[in-house]
Amino acid sequence: ENSGSAYIFAYDSTNWGLQRKLVAPDAAPGDEFGTAVDIRGDIAVVGSPFDEDNGTSSGSAYVFRLVDGVWSFETKLLPDDAENGDRFGLSIRVSENLAIVGAPYADGTGAVYVFAFDGSTWTQQAALYPPDGQEGERFGWSLGFEGDVIVSGSPSFGPPRTRTGRATVFREIGESWEHEADLYAKRPM
């Protein structure tokens, strides 16, 4: 139970129809596969934040690729430093050759992982952390990604009673992702 699934629907200029039901090839009860999904072109990445490959609720993400009209499992993404309770896969963004995956419970503050596709394999390119991480801020809870910019949401950042949150911006410079700015709806006191 609660192993989860994700569904891809296609529009044929008149109607939306089910194209494929995606399931984890190693599905287990409670994995919650499908908690987060992103698709771009012929790539779909599906999060399973309660998967237990690296400990209880460590999480994982699955890459599927559309080839000749069929969605097929390609690989399973796991961070290099996964631990119990990280919930890697709770948020996801993808492009043709990058997968950005949030683990908002990693290391107490949260983390965001960048995986790159080189034409044959997916490898971890970077692990991003909040520059002045606050315990429990949940960095990586939500993600935005376009071109060379990643934005990570931290809904629990701020003083204990207000927790107004923040968004942290990273920009790809050369081969690395550099912290660029922190955005606040209301500046923390």
Side-chain angles (χ1 to χ4, degrees), residues 10-104:
Y11 187 68
D12 67 6
S13 75
T14 308
N15 297 305
W16 286 94
L18 178 62
Q19 189 177 40
R20 176 92 152 105
K21 177 182 177 180
L22 304 178
V23 294
D26 59 350
D31 283 354
E32 296 192 15
F33 174 90
T35 296
V37 178
D38 197 22
I39 186 169
R40 180 82 52 104
D42 63 352
I43 300 292
V45 181
V46 182
S48 185
F50 293 94
D51 185 35
E52 299 187 341
D53 279 21
N54 290 308
T56 304
S57 301
S58 56
S60 62
Y62 297 79
V63 179
F64 294 84
R65 185 176 299 274
L66 180 64
V67 178
D68 297 328
V70 177
W71 286 95
S72 301
F73 170 73
E74 183 167 280
T75 194
K76 183 175 186 175
L77 304 176
L78 297 166
D80 294 340
D81 61 352
E83 295 180 347
N84 286 338
D86 286 354
R87 297 190 194 163
F88 173 84
L90 194 68
S91 58
I92 293 173
R93 288 295 172 260
V94 66
S95 72
E96 293 297 323
N97 62 354
L98 289 177
I100 317 300
V101 184

Side-chain angles (χ1 to χ4, degrees), residues 134 157-159 162 164 184 186-189:
Q134 181 183 70
F157 178 83
T162 59
T164 56
Y184 305 92
K186 180 180 176 185
R187 188 78 181 157
M189 302 174 112

Side-chain angles (χ1 to χ4, degrees), residues 81 111-114 124-129:
D81 61 352
V112 171
Y113 297 86
V114 181
Q124 184 175 313
Q125 180 189 59
L128 308 177
Y129 301 94

